[in-house]
Amino acid sequence: MCYVMTKSFTLTFCAPFILMGARYYYSRKVILSYLDCALHTDMADIEAYYMKPTGSCFWVAVLQGQVVGIVAAQSREDDNTVELRRMSVDSHFRGKGIAKALGRRVIEFAMLNNYSAVVLGTTAVKMAAHKLYESLGFRRVGETEDYTLPGMTRSPLERLFFQIRYSHYRLQLHEE
């Protein structure tokens, strides 16, 4: 199609590489902006966001003296739920049950603090993450197509080369 339109072998040959390069550039730009945003908000002051507020907490998984995972629970008092946030396990330690243990810790925390449900949102593209949440009892309750990550500018090129789906999960602990 490119050759028919341009009559150029060079452009026809280069077009896929240009498109892949643009996709890589904008994906990297969005992800780095998101990380920068996270590192300058809640992750910059874990104590203020997760340890001081009533009904919130932060856990660190340590294995052989090394931090291998984290998870946070943040109170959402408007609907008596707690949000599971920032779950992450070092890639070298995945598949060892660490994420499941962290998830269970948030669920236990929610039950001890009498929350009606645990909610979470994820942009995870790996099916293993979704299977983990479902194995913990969460049910997918919605999805947002073309989600805007914090730090995104939503420029036309960014929207063209980087799109992400945001999944909403809920674990009902008891009726309110």
Side-chain angles (χ1 to χ4, degrees), residues 92-104:
H92 295 100
F93 294 92
R94 291 185 184 154
K96 299 182 183 330
I98 296 167
K100 188 169 255 188
L102 289 168
R104 284 185 180 138

Side-chain angles (χ1 to χ4, degrees), residues 122-125 140 143-147 163-167:
T122 183
T123 57
V125 293
R140 191 179 309 207
E143 233 170 42
T144 304
E145 296 288 332
D146 199 23
Y147 178 71
Q163 296 175 2
I164 196 156
R165 179 177 297 136
Y166 189 80
S167 299

Side-chain angles (χ1 to χ4, degrees), residues 59 82 84 100 102-112 118 136-138 171 173:
W59 294 271
V82 67
L84 184 152
K100 188 169 255 188
L102 289 168
R104 284 185 180 138
R105 185 64 194 110
V106 171
I107 294 166
E108 289 168 9
F109 174 81
M111 291 189 310
L112 287 171
V118 181
L136 288 167
F138 287 88
L171 173 61
L173 300 174

Side-chain angles (χ1 to χ4, degrees), residues 120-133:
L120 69 90
T122 183
T123 57
V125 293
K126 293 185 177 179
M127 286 308 298
H130 296 277
K131 288 183 189 283
L132 167 70
Y133 300 134

Side-chain angles (χ1 to χ4, degrees), residues 47-57 73-77 81-82 109 113 115:
E47 185 176 355
Y49 275 83
Y50 300 113
M51 301 307 290
K52 286 185 179 175
T54 304
S56 296
C57 204
Q74 189 169 43
S75 174
R76 294 179 9 165
E77 293 177 10
T81 63
V82 67
F109 174 81
N113 287 280
Y115 285 103

